[in-house]
Amino acid sequence: MANLVGRSRRSADDSGPAGEKLAGPLHAVSESMGRVAQETHEDVPALCGQQVQVIAVEDVPDDAGLCRVCQYGS
């Protein structure tokens, strides 16, 4: 069951230095991977396969939603 969320890092194509800021929609992360990643700040694959960094609930904007694949499956 996915109950953690993550965001992907900016790519070199986005404005600003790559890897420094988080961007894009939220992604669902499985608890087994997400708990460790949250402590170590390592990127992990979300349910959709996108590499993301697990973020704290406090950092989630009120109007944020999950990517379509994470929300509804493929």
Side-chain angles (χ1 to χ4, degrees):
M1 178 96 191
N3 63 356
L4 296 171
V5 294
R7 278 210 156 149
S8 59
R9 296 183 187 274
R10 290 185 192 270
S11 69
D13 296 337
D14 295 330
S15 61
E20 285 193 6
K21 302 244 181 177
L22 301 177
L26 294 176
H27 298 273
V29 178
S30 69
E31 182 177 10
S32 60
M33 282 191 191
R35 292 285 176 214
V36 174
Q38 193 170 24
E39 294 173 9
T40 62
H41 303 289
E42 292 182 31
D43 290 358
V44 294
L47 297 182
C48 65
Q50 176 77 37
Q51 287 293 117
V52 298
Q53 182 180 49
V54 176
I55 59 174
V57 174
E58 302 83 44
D59 295 337
V60 176
D62 291 339
D63 62 348
L66 290 175
C67 82
R68 186 176 184 103
V69 175
C70 286
Q71 186 172 6
Y72 298 111
S74 55

